[in-house]
Amino acid sequence: MHGRAKGYEHALLTKSQRKDVPLNIRRNKFLDTQNENDVDYIYGLNSVCAVLKKNERELYTVMMNRSIKLDRKIHKHTYNYVLNTIRERNIKTIAMDKRQMDELVGGFPHNDIIMKGSYRYMQHYSSFVKNIDKMANFMSEMKQKGFTIYATCCRDSHTGNNFIELKNAQIGKNEKALIILGNESKGLCEDIIKNSDVCIYINNINNEEIVNTSSLTENSHLIMNSLNVNNVCAIVLYHFISLVP
C-alpha cells in the first residue's frame, strides 16, 4: 500500500520536468487570471455547444479562427448548430488567428471557437442529483447518512485543522466518502469549503525527501496550484483506493 502511494507522489513531481512545462505555465497563468475576473472563457466545441443549449449566461463575444475549415471538421452538425445559434442570438463575433486564440486560453484546446461570457456559479443541483436543489441541503443530508465530505482546494487558499495534504488524508475500509471537486480556475465556493469535513490539497512542490536533487532541472520548482479537474479526480481516487486493503 505504501509503495503505491509513494510512486504516486513521485509521478506527480516529475510532471514538472516534462518538455511541455512552458505550456503548463501558460495554462496556470490563464487559470489564475480566470480566478481574478468575473468573466469566463468557454472553449472547445462541446463546451460551447452546451452553454448555448443551456442558455443561462450572458454571452459577450465569440472568437472564431479566421482560417477555420468547416468542411474538414468531423462534427459538422454540432458546428452548424453553434454557428446558427450565434447568428440567431446576434452575439458579437471576432475573427482571430489560431495563435492568438491559443494564447488567449493559455494553450488549452479550443477547436477554433472561444466564447467570452458571464461566470456561472452552480446554485441549483437538481439537474445533477435527483431531488436536490441546494448544495447545503445535499451536504447536510449526506452527513446524516454517515458520509464524510472531502472538498478539494488549492494549497495556499485555506487554513484550519481540517485543511490537509492529500497524502495525509486517511479513509477507513467501511467509511463512506463524498468528494467534491471545484472549478479549475475558481475552485469551490466558501460555503462548500466551510461545510466540508476535510479540505484536501495536492502538494505540487518538490521535496528533497522524494526527489533526488541531482535530477532537478531549472523548472523543478514550478508550482502548479490548479490541475485539470479530470486529473484531480483521478489523483484523489487513486490515493483513496490505494489506502483500502
Side-chain angles (χ1 to χ4, degrees):
M1 178 179 71
H2 295 292
R4 292 174 66 186
K6 186 174 181 179
Y8 136 76
E9 289 170 355
H10 182 70
L12 268 182
L13 294 170
T14 56
K15 181 177 177 65
S16 66
Q17 299 178 26
R18 294 180 182 176
K19 293 181 180 179
D20 62 349
V21 164
L23 176 61
N24 288 333
I25 292 175
R26 294 203 307 273
R27 289 181 174 180
N28 246 21
K29 184 177 180 180
F30 166 70
L31 293 174
D32 286 341
T33 303
Q34 284 272 79
N35 187 40
E36 296 171 359
N37 296 331
D38 292 328
V39 299
D40 195 19
Y41 286 96
I42 304 103
Y43 43 90
L45 181 62
N46 290 333
S47 297
V48 168
C49 183
V51 168
L52 289 173
K53 286 186 175 181
K54 278 282 188 179
N55 197 21
E56 296 176 342
R57 308 195 198 192
E58 182 180 359
L59 300 175
Y60 309 131
T61 314
V62 175
M63 282 70 75
M64 297 278 297
N65 183 354
R66 67 173 74 254
S67 301
I68 188 172
K69 296 179 174 58
L70 292 174
D71 58 323
R72 298 184 183 180
K73 297 295 185 181
I74 297 175
H75 304 288
K76 293 184 178 64
H77 178 76
T78 306
Y79 274 100
N80 287 334
Y81 169 81
V82 167
L83 296 177
N84 289 336
T85 304
I86 290 171
R87 281 193 291 267
E88 290 171 3
R89 298 182 189 173
N90 198 28
I91 303 172
K92 181 181 178 181
T93 305
I94 300 175
M96 297 180 68
D97 294 330
K98 184 179 183 301
R99 181 185 58 80
Q100 292 176 301
M101 297 179 70
D102 291 342
E103 291 301 317
L104 181 64
V105 294
F108 282 104
H110 50 71
N111 304 126
D112 296 321
I113 184 166
I114 302 170
M115 289 197 307
K116 181 180 179 181
S118 60
Y119 187 78
R120 173 179 175 264
Y121 283 100
M122 189 163 51
Q123 299 293 340
H124 301 286
Y125 297 80
S126 55
S127 299
F128 302 90
V129 185
K130 189 176 181 181
N131 298 326
I132 295 297
D133 187 44
K134 295 292 185 180
M135 191 61 173
N137 296 339
F138 175 55
M139 294 174 69
S140 176
E141 182 176 332
M142 296 302 283
K143 285 184 179 182
Q144 291 175 15
K145 292 181 178 180
F147 280 81
T148 300
I149 299 180
Y150 295 84
T152 57
C153 55
C154 290
R155 175 187 176 91
D156 300 323
S157 57
H158 300 280
T159 58
N161 294 332
N162 68 334
F163 179 65
I164 61 175
E165 186 179 347
L166 175 62
K167 72 175 184 179
N168 297 323
Q170 303 293 321
I171 185 171
K173 181 178 180 180
N174 298 316
E175 181 180 348
K176 295 186 289 187
L178 169 64
I179 303 170
I180 305 178
L181 306 176
N183 177 276
E184 291 172 20
S185 59
K186 297 184 184 296
L188 293 169
C189 65
E190 287 298 324
D191 286 343
I192 293 178
I193 295 292
K194 182 176 64 177
N195 290 311
S196 297
D197 298 304
V198 182
C199 297
I200 51 178
Y201 69 90
I202 298 171
N203 186 2
N204 290 309
I205 301 178
N206 276 336
N207 187 318
E208 291 183 0
E209 296 178 359
I210 302 173
V211 179
N212 189 325
T213 54
S214 63
S215 67
L216 298 180
T217 68
E218 61 180 350
N219 294 314
S220 294
H221 297 290
L222 171 68
I223 300 173
M224 294 188 64
N225 281 329
S226 181
L227 296 173
N228 177 279
V229 68
N230 293 328
N231 294 339
V232 172
C233 182
I235 292 168
V236 172
L237 290 179
Y238 179 84
H239 169 75
F240 284 130
I241 291 173
S242 299
L243 297 176
V244 178

